[in-house]
Amino acid sequence: MALVVYLDYKGVQQREKWISKSKQATLWEKAHERNAKRVLNLILEMEGLWVKLGQYMSTRADVLPAAYISLLKQLQDSLPPRPLEEIAQVHRATLLNGQEVVVKVQHDGVKTVILEDLKNAKSIVDWIAWAEPQYNFNPMIDEWCKEAPKELDFNIEAESLEAYGVNKKKIVEEITRAYAHQIYVDGFFNGDPHPGNFLVSKESPHRPILLDFGLTKKLSNTIKQALAKMFLASAEGDHVALLSAFAEMGLKLRLDIPEQAMEMFNFNLILMYFAVTKKTMKSLADQRTKNMKVIQEKMNLDQKEMKRFNPVDAFPGDIVIFGRVLNLLRGLSSTMNVRIVYMDIMRPFAESVLSGYISRGPSVNDRWIFDSPVHSDIEAKLRQLLIELANNDKILGIQVCAYKDGEVIIDTAAGVLGKYDPRPVTPDSLFPVFSVTKGITAGMIHWLVDNGKLNLEENVANIWPEFGLNGKDGIKVHHVLNHTSGLHNAMADIGQENPLLMLDWDECLKRICTSVPETEPGKEQFYHYLSFGWLCGGIIEHASDKKFQEILEEAIVRPLHIEGELYIGIPPGVESRLAALTVDTDDLSKLSAITSRPDLPSSFQPQQIAQFATTLPTAFNTLNARRAIIPAANGHLSARALARYYAALGDGGKIPPPHSSASKPVLGSHPQIPKLSSQKAPKKRKCIGRREATLPSISSTGSYEKVSSTEDIEVNEVRYTCRDSSSSDDISSSNADSNLRTHVRGKVYGNPRIIDEFLGKGEYENLALPSGSFGLGFKRFSSKDGSSIAFGHSGMGGSTGFCDVTNRFAIAVTLNKMSFGGVTGKIVQLVCSELKIPVPDDFLRFTVEQMGPDEQLGRPLIN
């Protein structure tokens, strides 16, 4: 019969090619009805275990065609009574003392029949896996072979009652809650929650009654914790914790492709846990297809080998039954036509399992602060402040690093990597820092300018011809850096349309090219919260003829010797060092009440920000999101790498002395992976009247070069008047860009006026709006007395990096519990006050002593 059904469907596949699309649906519906009848008749004929299999299939309304559900659901409660022909039958009886009881009678020899049925079912599954390798159900049938014989032990079966007339949604919620309690609290659960195993009490309040505890599973405490961790990590999108949970329960992914294998497996977890829309389902399926292509290319598999590929090396039985229960519960809600949020119901039970497993703060963990030397008295005071904030549940994991006069004075790591990941934060942990990334991206643009590859006054369309559509031909590079290009709302709807599109680098660049400016370039400054990254990214790649990440490594990572601790789009191999995001719900509730801000785009007002913040952790904790190149929002770095970057920028590009060797592991000791090489064919671009700039060489031994004296200077005359070789239009040279650039060994930038360039001041003031809060790519930080020059960039959630040029001070804060500036503000205020340097207004406003509660949150630290 299996062969008949298979051949029928293969025939339909062939016939489908020769008929019109309007008739294809009818063709498949008839095939489903025809084969569903065949399957039902076979089950009724075979009886026994096959009935159980049919009952399971009838609950999968979320998977099987409607024809199968309609026919197979007869197996739930419409089977005719048969004299001892089934596995067993239930009868009403009366004991000698008059007590009414239920008697279940098992057919003699049924065990042999069941084992033979299992053997036959196993053969069918093996045959399907051979004929259609993408449908490999062996792990499930193996677990059935192990657990099904337990149904023969009636001593573990519960009694039942019959009832009717209830609120279907409430009943399904109660059943789900009961299963959550069984799994996470009792560690002992019924593995067969199909509709035929539930009754409902007649009296109000109606309650579900669970029947048939023949197929059960007992869980050890270790497995309970692993299942809870898996469930919650999947809900948070925390792929790092998810991989850890897999390992704890014995699920082994292919070691050569763990990321893609995990992505594929998490696709199934999402289907188990969440009620997803058809549109989201399609997006997930498309992403899964892309992952499969990555695997195929990486492993050099042909189409036939790919069909037989299995990303899982070992599949534990516990997760098979667990997954079966979740799928049956989803099928139950589909069958009863109700929609419930499984996550909301099951989360409290899963969290109860981990309540004593995850450390909540320093009050119960004397090693909450990572064991590293104290560099200064200020650092000792800072650590005490961090402990106080953590005891008030304001910090989960954090890093703080600061430089003063070129020397490290603070390098502290504390807390844990994630809400469900109790591993400690270390100095080399990588934190997602959102818009802090913009400051790194801007530095790459300035590096290209410094090396004669780019002109700040050049039209972007001259560098990137496809960009010039829809009235964007007047937008210049400095407009993009100054947030005055008029494209502040570009890409704003990408999250609603399809969030996964944000991960597609080429697609995002295409959409930037077709976007339409809302204001005239250079006239109004609105924060380009998303579009900034792709605008800069397109400019970087077209101006350099290299990949974005290649320029990142060449311009910043290698010169500063921060290998392995600064990425925009992480590579495989760093997962164990990733911090996972969560949200401070107290701050979130306050943010939603803030009034609109005129300096922000209409699509990025506080109300929208509050909505974004609820979904950001789930989205940006996933590995596929972390892998994406999003130069406005997806940097992953350590605080010590970021602080070193700003220490160099604040000192005119001079590379600081080696980072403190007391911090372990030593900064720069990780390999920068992957080793990138450009796959793009070089496109010749000429910069008129210049010679190629000579870059400072980087020692291959990994040692630092001595900061050079004036005798080490190599001068190259570089006049930055650029044009595309294909264009006949010369770009007029500005006074700012006609300077002679000096490339100094031991410096990232050679321009002696590079700080003015960052700020849009001095000779560069005509390139930035004087009244704007942004210079050329960086946020200008002001202080009350106006005595210091400072700039940097903060990100949603509180991470920040900035430098005070006047006082030769730089600081970086990275954290994974997203607040809106309160924690960061207190840290910056403490450090600056101890050093007796001005506190930038961006951080001073969070000080309770200075302002009222409304003012403290009036401008959340997001840019």
Side-chain angles (χ1 to χ4, degrees):
M1 181 61 70
L3 180 61
V4 170
V5 172
Y6 175 74
L7 292 176
D8 190 349
Y9 279 122
K10 297 301 284 188
V12 171
Q13 283 181 342
Q14 296 303 315
R15 289 197 298 275
E16 183 185 33
K17 299 176 182 178
W18 304 100
I19 64 174
S20 63
K21 288 187 177 180
S22 61
K23 296 180 180 180
Q24 288 177 1
T26 303
L27 178 69
W28 281 103
E29 286 175 8
K30 290 181 178 179
H32 292 324
E33 290 175 3
R34 186 167 59 246
N35 288 310
K37 289 177 181 177
R38 286 170 175 163
V39 171
L40 175 62
N41 291 333
L42 179 65
I43 288 173
L44 291 174
E45 180 182 344
M46 300 291 290
E47 299 177 337
L49 187 71
W50 298 99
V51 174
K52 291 288 183 183
L53 179 60
Q55 289 172 339
Y56 172 68
M57 293 168 64
S58 73
T59 65
R60 298 311 310 273
D62 54 327
V63 175
L64 289 176
Y68 282 86
I69 304 303
S70 175
L71 287 170
L72 294 180
K73 69 181 181 181
Q74 300 175 36
L75 300 171
Q76 300 292 354
D77 52 16
S78 302
L79 284 174
R82 299 175 183 270
L84 302 178
E85 291 180 5
E86 300 290 346
I87 295 175
Q89 284 196 338
V90 178
H91 301 271
R92 182 189 300 272
T94 305
L95 297 180
L96 293 176
N97 61 6
Q99 181 182 359
E100 291 191 345
V101 295
V102 173
V103 176
K104 190 167 185 177
V105 182
Q106 185 179 116
H107 179 56
D108 186 29
V110 73
K111 182 174 183 179
T112 303
V113 174
I114 283 183
L115 293 177
E116 188 64 29
D117 288 345
L118 286 170
K119 181 179 177 182
N120 292 333
K122 171 71 171 163
S123 298
I124 292 174
V125 168
D126 287 340
W127 183 83
I128 292 173
W130 175 83
E132 299 289 336
Q134 66 269 35
Y135 301 115
N136 184 358
F137 303 113
N138 270 300
M140 301 178 98
I141 198 66
D142 289 343
E143 187 65 13
W144 265 54
C145 291
K146 176 181 172 185
E147 299 293 337
K150 294 181 180 179
E151 289 212 54
L152 301 174
D153 185 357
F154 293 167
N155 291 324
I156 60 175
E157 184 174 356
E159 295 183 6
S160 65
L161 293 172
E162 187 176 10
Y164 58 90
V166 296
N167 182 320
K168 293 190 293 183
K169 182 177 180 180
K170 183 178 179 182
I171 286 298
V172 175
E173 288 176 345
E174 285 292 324
I175 290 171
T176 303
R177 195 170 290 111
Y179 269 87
H181 194 285
Q182 290 176 41
I183 293 168
Y184 296 118
V185 179
D186 302 331
F188 180 81
F189 65 95
N190 177 336
D192 200 18
H194 66 74
N197 278 344
F198 295 104
L199 300 178
V200 181
S201 62
K202 183 186 300 184
E203 296 79 13
S204 182
H206 303 292
R207 296 197 180 279
I209 300 167
L210 278 62
L211 309 177
D212 193 357
F213 275 75
L215 178 60
T216 58
K217 192 72 181 177
K218 188 172 184 179
L219 304 173
S220 66
N221 287 333
T222 301
I223 294 298
K224 276 202 307 181
Q225 290 175 354
L227 287 173
K229 188 174 179 180
M230 179 182 73
F231 182 87
L232 295 167
S234 184
E236 296 284 329
D238 185 354
H239 284 184
V240 176
L242 194 58
L243 285 169
S244 174
F246 289 167
E248 290 170 17
M249 67 178 63
L251 189 148
K252 297 180 181 178
L253 301 176
R254 288 287 298 269
L255 296 179
D256 49 345
I257 49 159
E259 295 80 28
Q260 287 84 6
M262 191 278 299
E263 290 282 357
M264 292 166 60
F265 190 79
N266 192 50
F267 171 81
N268 294 324
L269 290 179
I270 291 172
L271 298 185
M272 288 181 193
Y273 297 147
F274 306 105
V276 294
T277 64
K278 289 184 178 179
K279 191 172 184 179
T280 304
M281 174 78 77
K282 184 180 185 304
S283 297
L284 290 169
D286 290 344
Q287 186 64 39
R288 183 178 185 273
T289 301
K290 288 184 178 180
N291 285 329
M292 292 294 288
K293 288 182 179 178
V294 170
I295 292 171
Q296 185 173 0
E297 292 171 3
K298 184 172 182 178
M299 302 189 68
N300 197 25
L301 302 175
D302 60 30
Q303 204 64 31
K304 186 176 181 180
E305 290 170 327
M306 194 62 207
K307 284 185 176 181
R308 299 183 181 279
F309 172 76
N310 188 349
V312 180
D313 273 344
F315 210 101
D318 294 311
I319 198 173
V320 171
I321 298 297
F322 177 75
R324 179 176 186 270
V325 166
L326 292 180
N327 282 327
L328 283 169
L329 290 175
R330 282 180 57 84
L332 180 65
S333 64
S334 296
T335 301
M336 298 183 72
N337 196 28
V338 297
R339 182 182 178 88
I340 66 169
V341 183
Y342 293 92
M343 180 54 58
D344 291 347
I345 295 173
M346 302 186 82
R347 181 190 285 273
F349 296 95
E351 287 181 336
S352 70
V353 177
L354 299 180
S355 59
Y357 173 61
I358 302 292
S359 172
R360 294 297 181 187
S363 61
V364 294
N365 182 2
D366 57 4
R367 302 185 67 180
W368 185 78
I369 292 180
F370 184 76
D371 185 15
S372 61
V374 178
H375 295 79
S376 62
D377 292 340
I378 297 175
E379 186 167 23
K381 293 179 180 179
L382 169 72
R383 291 186 178 189
Q384 189 57 45
L385 172 64
L386 297 183
I387 289 173
E388 292 172 7
L389 291 169
N391 283 332
N392 289 325
D393 201 26
K394 289 298 177 182
I395 294 176
L396 182 64
I398 194 168
Q399 297 168 324
V400 183
C401 184
Y403 280 73
K404 182 72 172 72
D405 299 322
E407 300 292 333
V408 177
I409 60 170
I410 296 171
D411 191 5
T412 290
V416 294
L417 287 177
K419 187 176 181 181
Y420 305 114
D421 189 345
R423 292 175 300 150
V425 173
T426 58
D428 63 333
S429 296
L430 301 175
F431 281 73
V433 293
F434 292 107
S435 288
V436 172
T437 315
K438 292 183 178 73
I440 307 294
T441 303
M444 295 164 66
I445 291 275
H446 287 288
W447 184 85
L448 289 173
V449 172
D450 204 64
N451 287 280
K453 302 290 185 182
L454 194 58
N455 183 337
L456 289 172
E457 288 200 272
E458 191 169 7
N459 286 340
V460 175
N462 189 50
I463 308 159
W464 182 5
E466 299 87 349
F467 179 79
L469 300 173
N470 298 328
K472 298 194 295 298
D473 50 317
I475 296 175
K476 300 181 184 296
V477 174
H478 68 83
H479 293 143
V480 171
L481 290 173
N482 193 227
H483 295 267
T484 56
S485 76
L487 296 170
H488 40 279
N489 282 319
M491 313 293 285
D493 58 351
I494 195 170
Q496 295 179 348
E497 179 187 348
N498 182 356
L500 294 177
L501 287 176
M502 195 184 300
L503 314 184
D504 189 330
W505 175 250
D506 293 331
E507 178 62 25
C508 289
L509 293 184
K510 288 178 185 176
R511 292 191 175 218
I512 283 291
C513 289
T514 58
S515 61
V516 180
E518 296 181 32
T519 57
E520 185 180 346
K523 299 300 182 182
E524 295 183 76
Q525 189 174 87
F526 290 102
Y527 182 46
H528 289 41
Y529 62 101
L530 262 183
S531 56
F532 181 90
W534 292 304
L535 286 165
C536 290
I539 293 170
I540 288 167
E541 290 203 338
H542 284 80
S544 67
D545 299 317
K546 293 182 179 180
K547 292 179 181 178
F548 178 88
Q549 291 170 312
E550 193 173 0
I551 294 298
L552 174 63
E553 183 176 337
E554 184 178 351
I556 295 172
V557 173
R558 282 194 283 115
L560 291 175
H561 202 29
I562 52 177
E563 289 88 347
E565 296 194 28
L566 193 156
Y567 294 102
I568 301 177
I570 65 162
V574 302
E575 292 79 9
S576 62
R577 293 191 285 130
L578 295 175
L581 296 165
T582 189
V583 175
D584 186 327
T585 52
D586 291 340
D587 265 20
L588 187 63
S589 62
K590 296 173 185 175
L591 179 65
S592 59
I594 297 175
T595 56
S596 298
R597 280 177 46 178
D599 59 319
L600 294 178
S602 59
S603 58
F604 198 65
Q605 290 296 319
Q607 290 75 19
Q608 286 98 334
I609 295 171
Q611 293 173 356
F612 293 155
T614 60
T615 59
L616 281 174
T618 302
F620 278 81
N621 282 339
T622 61
L623 282 181
N624 54 337
R626 294 181 191 260
R627 297 258 186 275
I629 303 173
I630 309 175
N634 202 30
H636 284 74
L637 45 81
S638 65
R640 62 184 186 175
L642 183 62
R644 186 169 179 80
Y645 172 69
Y646 276 107
L649 266 56
D651 211 5
K654 182 186 292 185
I655 298 173
H659 190 82
S660 171
S661 60
S663 297
K664 302 295 182 182
V666 175
L667 179 61
S669 60
H670 288 288
Q672 184 77 9
I673 49 178
K675 292 297 180 184
L676 295 166
S677 60
S678 178
Q679 296 177 357
K680 297 174 69 177
K683 182 186 70 174
K684 298 295 184 183
R685 293 185 69 252
K686 290 192 282 187
C687 283
I688 298 173
R690 70 167 173 84
R691 295 198 302 272
E692 289 296 327
T694 302
L695 301 180
S697 61
I698 304 300
S699 170
S700 60
T701 63
S703 61
Y704 284 87
E705 297 180 6
K706 178 174 73 69
V707 176
S708 307
S709 63
T710 54
E711 289 78 15
D712 296 322
I713 295 176
E714 299 176 8
V715 179
N716 292 276
E717 293 187 0
V718 181
R719 189 173 301 278
Y720 292 90
T721 306
C722 302
R723 71 179 181 190
D724 193 297
S725 59
S726 63
S727 172
S728 61
D729 298 326
D730 290 353
I731 308 298
S732 61
S733 172
S734 71
N735 189 33
D737 279 329
S738 63
N739 297 305
L740 296 183
R741 302 301 167 88
T742 302
H743 293 282
V744 184
R745 292 171 63 84
K747 295 195 74 174
V748 181
Y749 302 98
N751 180 9
R753 286 174 288 279
I754 191 65
I755 291 174
D756 283 346
E757 186 178 317
F758 293 152
L759 291 167
K761 298 288 187 180
E763 294 181 355
Y764 301 87
E765 64 182 359
N766 64 317
L767 305 184
L769 281 182
S771 59
S773 60
F774 285 95
L776 296 181
F778 297 95
K779 178 75 164 56
R780 299 162 172 167
F781 290 143
S782 59
S783 57
K784 278 191 171 182
D785 59 8
S787 62
S788 64
I789 300 170
F791 64 90
H793 217 296
S794 299
M796 182 180 287
S799 292
T800 194
F802 74 90
C803 57
D804 181 328
V805 179
T806 308
N807 295 286
R808 296 191 69 208
F809 168 70
I811 188 170
V813 179
T814 58
L815 40 77
N816 58 357
K817 186 165 190 176
M818 296 173 61
S819 64
F820 292 94
V823 169
T824 309
K826 289 180 173 62
I827 290 169
V828 172
Q829 191 215 6
L830 170 70
V831 176
C832 289
S833 298
E834 290 293 324
L835 290 171
K836 295 181 171 54
I837 62 178
V839 181
D841 291 342
D842 281 60
F843 304 98
L844 188 64
R845 69 173 182 265
F846 292 100
T847 308
V848 176
E849 292 79 3
Q850 299 288 333
M851 296 184 176
D854 293 338
E855 294 175 286
Q856 293 169 38
L857 276 169
R859 290 175 59 85
L861 188 67
I862 56 175
N863 56 49

